[in-house]
Each structure stands twice: as structure tokens, then as C-alpha cells.
């Protein structure tokens, strides 16, 4: 048999011959095993190609069906489209548009399955998956005039007037630098959002502290100090009277103090994580205790506000201080081992670039964070407003939650970079002594107060199973509650609406399951809002009841201005 014949009969022969000549360099390799070795190396790729080929055959059949139906040569027996982007009657009324939608969805499915079959590591696969979703979401037929029947119909009915209005809305958004999600002119802080009565009784360059006016004749002797996220503004917890978490807490007989973080400007560009702990959280606790003359305070932290709160209490414990009687963490991460899609954007290179740019001084613009958070749910927070506004010419209706969501807040560069590196990138906070904050090695196990942990089941920012890991980091008794819905809607769920449900189970790090799924299987499911369960849990930690204060503050901390204060009204530039 000639060399060429042998090569044709055995396509791996070239490798066998090559390895024979190199055998002196590879003494442990048996040349007879080269075909087996090659097969082992190429098996993942061979399987990937086979899987994709099989998928292509099935998907091409799916793609052909709606087009044949559109031409009247066949009847599509496909399942109804469940994607809400194409849920309108116009998409199925004309089979051509239905075919376009089905083809797009099928192609998206094909590309995702091909990526799933690719022999690459899981993190790389997830990063490519995130990028793929951004591209495919942007290319949706619903986002383009010529392929969106819901946009073409009003354009024809109005003689193009809807397109003119869409261009007007686009121009307005272009001037603002962001996509409008609500009628912002319908809201004003202090008038119809952030309206719970109160008084700013302290301020520094970082925050204002609000003391809310009691609505009950008697209050618990221990105050309730709330630390909201500094990434956004505090009034997510005080939107309107019907859905205000602050008003609910005041109505339960608590003297509520709340931190209103300053929108960072040039004067705050060098502030650090330690500044947020010392001049923010710990100062708020100091003032609240001085005014109420209580031995301890009950505390609440929301999202990054919870991370700040837990860090501050661990710092205090390292100093021998214990200012908190209880801790409530709402959608908060202390262990950053699984941060969902958001974590895919954090790499050593990206963090180093941020540190180089603003780590020693500078500002992280709030609109940058808003764009990142929007990209996590682009089909909810970006593209529907593009299609409805620019293509259909429909201005968004008023919605208090989306008004808050559009009110960006800047962060100091040094503070943000410390947070990014020590949590999302290196996950040091969970390790005892791995971080030094305000000069103290931080150990979360030193927090031994009763803790109420709340997470949302569909949270895209704080995955609930990641929030659950906090049960294993804290020393005190823990009540873990899992609510329905997402990062914001799950938290802001007032009892009067009687919406959704939650799961609840209490214990300690030793008695609670380390596995979140095991906890879920044994948790009690309860209909409605979790707020009453929290109020019932908190009441025993409030101490005795005393007469409600007649005036805010005291001789040392006097009224500065009425709530909601001036810091929250500062707009990000």
C-alpha cells in the first residue's frame, strides 16, 4: 500500500508518523495509542459538531413550517408563541409576521444550544451566553419598524403621525442620555413620592439622617435604623403612602431613622469604603442612640446597604461595641461566590482598569450602573420602551417605581473600587480577617444578634441562593424568608395588596440546612406579603414601649430641614 493510500485509509496516520519521529522526546508515549489519544482530544469537538448538526436538522424543519404556512402551502402546527414580545394579536393575524417571529426565536434557540454544546469552561460559556443574549435581544423583530406589525399599524392609521411622535420621544431621550421608562413630570420628591413626614436631624458630607415622625402614641424604646443602597436613592423604601416600607415601620410603633446617601460629586470623589462605614452607618447608629437614649438599635440594610451594615457591625464587634439588637438584611450578599450575570462582567482586567481610572479619586457615574443593570434584563428594562416609544410613538405612563429607577446616583471611585475587588472579584468578605475595615480585621461570625434575612426568588441582581449562604456566616439565630418576584418588586410588597407569597423557616447556622434547596423543601409557604412576618419578628427586639417623642432630635442633634431632605434631590451629572 502506498503512502498516499495509507493516509487515505487512516486519516490519523500523519500524527502516528509524526509521533514516531518524536518518540525520543516522548518516551512515555506508546505510538500504538496515538489514535486513541487523538480521539480523546477531539471527542468534545466531534460531539459538539454532531449535536449542532442534529439540532440544525430539527430547527430547519421548525423554521420552514411558518414560512410554508405564510405562503399557504402548509399549515403550521407549532405551539402558540409564548414570548411576550410577540404576544399581541397583530403578530399572529398576518402569518408573515408570525413567520418572522418564529424564525427569530428558532435562530436564537439554535445559537444558544450551539453555545451550550461548545467544549469550553462554564464561566466562559456563561460570559458568551450573556453577550449572545444582548445581541439577539437587540436584533428582535419587535425592535424594528419594518418587522413589527404593532408599529406599522398605527403608522398607517395615523398617516405617519405616530412615527413623528416617536422621533420626538427619541430626541428627548437623546438629550437626557437615557431611555425614558415613565412620565417623570408626574412625580416630585416630597410631593407624591418620599412623602412620609420626618426631619433631617444630622448631616455630613456623605449623608443626611432622617428621623420620621411617629404616628402612634407609644413607640418601642429601641430605634430602627435603616441603611438603604447607596447605588440608588433611599426613597425606594418610601415611594407613596400605599407602598411605603418606611411608613409601615413607623405605623408598627418604631422610631425610624434612615440614611439618605449623598449623590457623589467632585467634593466626594476621594471617599472610601471606610468613610461609608464610619461617617455613614456607624455615625447613623451613634446619632439614633444618642437621641433615643436606647441601649441598642434595631437595624435594616437593603442590597449594598446590607453589605455596609454587616461590615459596620463586624467592625464594631471587633472594637468591643455592640450597637445593634437585631439585623435585617434585604436582598443582600455577604458571600459573593455566585453573583449571577452581574458577576460575569467582573474580571481582573476590568477591575484593574477601574482602579487605574478612578481608584485613587474620581466618580463612577450613576448612568453607567443603570446601563449595566438594564442590560441584565434588557427585554424588560430597555427594548419594550424603545418599541413602544420610538416605533409606536407612545409616551410611557407614570409609574413611581420606574421614576425611582431612573433617578441615578453617582459613587466615589475609591469606595466603588474597594467594593468591586473585595466582594465580586475576590470574595474576601466571607473570610474571617481577610479584609481590614476601619483598621479592624472583619469577621462576620462576630455578628451574633438575631437576624432576619430576606431574598427574592426571581432576583437577577442578588441570586436568592447566594443570599441564603449568609445563614452560614452569622452566629446568631437566623430567620430566612424567600419572597416571590424580583429584586425590587419582591421587597416592596405591602400587605394591603395581598399579592404574591413567601417561604419562611428559622434556625441557626448549625440547625439550618447548608443547601438552599434543602431549606426550600422544608420551608413553610405563606400567602401574601412578608412585611407582617417581619413586623412580628422585630417586635420582641424593640424593648419596652414608651411615649412617642413630641419633637425630632435633641439638644445636640437639631432639625436641619424637613424630610426627604436636600441630598436626595441632587441629580447625577
Amino acid at each position: 500500500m502506498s503512502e498516499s493510500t495509507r493516509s487515505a485509509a487512516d486519516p490519523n496516520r500523519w500524527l502516528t508518523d509524526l509521533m514516531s519521529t518524536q518518540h525520543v522526546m516522548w518516551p512515555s508515549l506508546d505510538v500504538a495509542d496515538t489514535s486513541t489519544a487523538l480521539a480523546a482530544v477531539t471527542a468534545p469537538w466531534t460531539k459538539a459538531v454532531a449535536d449542532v448538526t442534529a439540532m440544525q436538522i430539527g430547527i430547519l424543519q421548525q423554521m420552514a413550517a411558518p414560512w410554508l404556512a405564510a405562503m399557504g402551502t402548509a399549515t403550521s402546527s407549532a405551539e402558540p408563541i409564548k414570548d411576550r414580545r410577540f404576544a399581541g394579536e397583530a403578530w399572529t393575524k398576518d402569518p408573515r409576521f408570525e413567520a418572522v417571529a418564529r424564525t427569530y426565536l428558532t435562530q436564537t434557540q439554535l445559537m444558544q444550544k450551539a453555545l451550550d454544546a461548545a467544549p469550553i469552561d462554564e464561566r466562559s460559556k456563561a460570559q458568551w451566553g450573556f453577550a449572545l443574549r444582548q445581541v439577539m435581544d437587540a436584533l428582535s423583530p419587535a425592535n424594528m419598524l419594518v418587522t413589527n406589525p404593532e408599529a406599522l399599524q398605527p403608522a398607517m392609521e395615523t398617516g405617519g403621525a405616530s412615527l413623528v411622535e416617536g422621533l420626538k420621544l427619541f430626541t428627548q431621550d437623546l438629550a437626557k442620555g437615557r431611555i425614558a421608562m415613565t412620565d417623570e413630570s408626574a412625580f416630585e420628591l416630597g410631593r407624591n413620592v418620599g412623602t412620609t413626614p420626618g426631619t433631617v436631624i444630622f448631616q455630613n458630607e456623605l449623608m443626611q439622617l432622617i428621623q420620621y415622625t411617629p404616628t402612634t402614641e407609644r413607640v418601642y424604646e429601641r430605634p430602627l435604623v435603616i441603611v438603604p443602597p447607596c447605588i440608588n436613592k433611599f426613597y425606594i423604601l418610601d415611594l407613596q403612602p400605599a407602598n411605603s416600607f418606611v411608613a409601615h415601620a413607623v405605623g408598627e410603633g418604631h422610631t425610624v431613622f434612615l440614611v439618605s446617601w449623598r449623590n457623589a460629586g467632585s467634593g466626594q470623589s476621594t471617599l472610601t469604603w471606610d468613610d461609608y462605614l464610619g461617617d455613614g452607618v456607624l455615625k447613623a447608629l451613634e446619632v439614633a442612640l444618642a437621641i433615643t437614649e436606647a441601649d441598642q438599635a434595631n437595624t435594616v440594610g437593603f442590597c449594598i446597604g446590607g453589605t455596609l451594615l454587616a461590615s459596620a457591625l463586624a467592625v464594631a464587634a471587633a472594637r468591643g461595641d455592640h450597637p445593634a439588637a437585631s439585623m435585617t438584611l434585604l436582598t443582600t450578599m455577604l458571600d459573593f461566590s455566585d453573583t449571577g450575570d452581574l458577576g460575569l462582567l467582573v474580571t481582573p482586567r476590568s477591575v484593574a482598569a477601574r482602579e487605574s481610572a478612578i481608584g485613587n479619586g474620581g466618580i463612577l457615574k450613576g448612568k453607567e450602573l443603570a446601563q449595566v443593570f438594564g442590560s441584565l434584563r434588557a427585554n424588560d428594562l430597555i427594548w419594550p420602551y424603545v418599541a413602544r416609544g420610538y416605533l409606536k410613538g407612545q409616551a410611557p405612563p407614570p409609574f413611581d417605581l420606574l421614576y425611582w429607577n431612573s433617578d441615578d446616583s453617582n459613587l466615589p471611585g475609591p469606595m466603588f473600587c474597594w467594593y468591586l475587588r473585595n466582594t465580586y472579584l475576590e470574595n474576601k468578605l466571607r473570610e474571617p480577617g481577610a479584609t481590614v475595615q476601619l483598621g479592624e480585621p472583619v469577621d462576620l461570625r462576630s455578628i451574633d444578634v438575631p437576624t432576619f434575612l430576606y431574598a427574592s426568588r426571581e432576583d437577577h441582581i442578588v441570586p436568592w441562593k447566594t443570599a441564603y449562604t449568609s445563614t452560614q456566616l452569622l452566629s446568631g439565630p437566623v430567620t430566612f424568608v424567600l419572597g416571590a418576584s424580583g429584586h425590587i418588586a419582591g421587597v416592596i410588597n405591602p400587605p394591603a395588596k395581598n399579592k404574591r407569597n413567601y417561604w419562611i423557616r428559622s434556625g441557626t447556622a448549625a440547625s439550618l440546612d447548608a443547601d438552599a434547596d434543602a431549606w426550600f423543601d422544608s420551608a413553610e409557604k405563606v400567602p401574601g406579603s412578608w412585611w407582617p412576618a417581619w413586623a412580628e419578628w422585630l417586635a420582641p427586639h424593640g424593648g419596652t414601649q414608651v411615649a412617642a417623642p413630641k419633637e425630632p432630635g435633641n439638644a445636640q442633634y437639631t432639625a436641619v430641614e424637613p424630610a426627604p431632605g436636600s441630598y436626595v434631590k441632587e441629580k447625577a451629572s
Side-chain angles (χ1 to χ4, degrees):
M1 181 181 294
S2 68
E3 186 64 30
S4 60
T5 304
R6 284 197 303 271
S7 298
D10 181 7
N12 296 335
R13 181 59 183 268
W14 67 272
L15 181 62
T16 304
D17 293 341
L18 176 63
M19 296 309 295
S20 296
T21 61
Q22 300 296 322
H23 189 65
V24 66
M25 299 178 62
W26 302 88
S28 61
L29 179 65
D30 187 342
V31 176
D33 291 336
T34 54
S35 293
T36 302
L38 179 63
V41 171
T42 60
W45 290 101
T46 303
K47 183 178 184 304
V49 171
D51 289 344
V52 170
T53 302
M55 285 188 292
Q56 284 176 326
I57 294 173
I59 287 174
L60 285 172
Q61 292 173 339
Q62 295 178 39
M63 291 171 62
W67 285 106
L68 292 173
M71 293 184 292
T73 59
T75 301
S76 176
S77 59
E79 296 260 338
I81 298 177
K82 297 180 180 180
D83 193 304
R84 59 184 174 182
R85 290 173 292 179
F86 314 112
E89 182 182 349
W91 288 98
T92 54
K93 187 175 181 180
D94 187 328
R96 293 171 298 178
F97 289 109
E98 180 181 2
V100 169
R102 288 189 183 277
T103 300
Y104 161 77
L105 292 173
T106 302
Q107 290 174 331
T108 301
Q109 179 188 34
L110 170 62
M111 297 182 72
Q112 183 59 55
K113 287 187 175 181
L115 178 61
D116 291 342
I120 57 178
D121 66 273
E122 291 303 315
R123 179 171 173 82
S124 297
K125 190 177 295 185
Q127 289 174 322
W128 279 106
F130 179 83
L132 175 63
R133 286 194 299 276
Q134 303 308 305
V135 172
M136 296 308 296
D137 288 349
L139 294 177
S140 167
N143 302 334
M144 305 174 193
L145 178 63
V146 295
T147 53
N148 187 333
E150 294 178 320
L152 289 172
Q153 183 175 345
M156 291 185 290
E157 291 175 349
T158 64
S162 63
L163 299 180
V164 174
E165 184 63 25
L167 180 60
K168 175 183 173 183
L169 294 173
F170 171 75
T171 304
Q172 292 173 348
D173 287 354
L174 192 63
K176 289 185 292 189
R178 52 185 166 80
I179 299 170
M181 296 186 289
T182 184
D183 179 4
E184 297 177 13
S185 65
F187 300 100
E188 181 184 347
L189 267 166
R191 180 177 63 85
N192 56 0
V193 289
T195 59
T196 300
T199 305
V200 175
I201 44 82
F202 173 82
Q203 70 179 29
N204 57 25
E205 67 169 340
L206 181 58
M207 62 92 173
Q208 289 186 320
L209 186 64
I210 300 171
Q211 180 181 355
Y212 287 94
T213 305
T215 57
T216 56
E217 292 185 359
R218 300 184 68 80
V219 296
Y220 292 102
E221 62 178 341
R222 287 175 177 157
L224 177 66
V225 178
I226 300 178
V227 184
C230 51
I231 289 176
N232 298 100
K233 295 182 177 179
F234 81 80
Y235 63 94
I236 185 59
L237 297 171
D238 185 32
L239 286 171
Q240 298 190 69
N243 58 0
S244 171
F245 181 84
V246 169
H248 179 79
V250 171
E252 290 293 324
H254 298 282
T255 301
V256 176
F257 293 81
L258 181 143
V259 174
S260 173
W261 298 108
R262 190 168 196 174
N263 194 349
S266 58
Q268 293 76 45
S269 63
T270 59
L271 294 180
T272 66
W273 178 266
D274 281 1
D275 291 323
Y276 274 72
L277 297 182
D279 294 335
V281 181
L282 292 177
K283 187 61 180 181
L285 285 167
E286 176 190 327
V287 173
L289 292 176
I291 290 173
T292 59
E293 299 182 349
D295 59 339
Q296 291 178 307
N298 292 304
T299 59
V300 175
F302 186 2
C303 191
I304 187 178
T307 310
L308 283 163
L309 173 62
S311 297
L313 294 182
V315 167
R319 295 172 173 175
D321 298 328
H322 301 279
S326 74
M327 179 173 69
T328 296
L329 300 181
L330 308 177
T331 60
T332 293
M333 285 188 289
L334 301 180
D335 181 338
F336 288 71
S337 54
D338 179 7
T339 53
D341 285 346
L342 196 57
L344 299 176
L345 306 178
V346 180
T347 65
R349 184 175 180 178
S350 67
V351 173
R354 284 291 186 187
E355 290 172 335
S356 176
I358 60 174
N360 294 318
I363 296 295
L364 177 73
K365 297 293 186 178
K367 63 182 179 182
E368 292 186 47
L369 289 174
Q371 291 167 355
V372 171
F373 289 132
S375 70
L376 299 180
R377 293 176 53 198
N379 284 333
D380 293 323
L381 298 176
I382 297 177
W383 299 117
Y385 301 99
V386 169
R388 190 180 302 121
Y390 308 157
L391 302 186
K392 302 177 188 178
Q394 300 173 4
F399 188 12
D400 56 0
L401 194 153
L402 291 179
Y403 173 77
W404 165 84
N405 190 62
S406 301
D407 194 359
D408 303 333
S409 190
N410 298 334
L411 288 176
M415 175 270 183
F416 175 73
C417 290
W418 189 98
Y419 172 67
L420 200 60
R421 174 168 290 281
N422 287 279
T423 57
Y424 279 90
L425 183 62
E426 298 180 356
N427 194 18
K428 286 184 175 180
L429 190 59
R430 66 174 179 173
E431 302 174 21
T435 63
V436 175
Q437 303 177 44
L438 284 175
E440 304 290 347
V442 165
D443 184 353
L444 296 176
R445 297 174 303 178
S446 64
I447 304 174
D448 59 0
V449 299
T451 300
F452 187 100
L453 298 176
Y454 171 85
S456 292
R457 193 175 186 185
E458 298 168 26
D459 197 334
H460 64 292
I461 295 175
V462 179
W464 82 265
K465 293 181 182 179
T466 303
Y468 181 81
T469 59
S470 296
T471 63
Q472 307 301 303
L473 299 177
L474 306 171
S475 298
V478 175
T479 295
F480 188 81
V481 171
L482 177 63
S485 196
H487 187 71
I488 298 300
V491 173
I492 309 305
N493 183 23
K497 294 187 177 181
N498 196 29
K499 294 176 64 177
R500 308 186 185 97
N501 60 271
Y502 64 92
W503 295 261
I504 185 170
R505 184 181 157 203
S506 303
T508 63
S511 64
L512 285 174
D513 298 291
D515 179 69
D517 289 323
W519 173 90
F520 183 80
D521 291 339
S522 61
E524 177 189 3
K525 183 178 180 179
V526 183
S529 168
W530 60 271
W531 289 12
W534 172 73
E536 182 180 354
W537 171 88
L538 184 61
H541 307 301
T544 61
Q545 294 215 338
V546 299
K550 298 186 184 305
E551 299 291 337
N554 61 10
Q556 182 180 2
Y557 300 107
T558 57
V560 177
E561 60 183 335
S566 55
Y567 281 13
V568 72
K569 296 179 181 180
E570 295 175 356
K571 295 294 183 181
S573 57

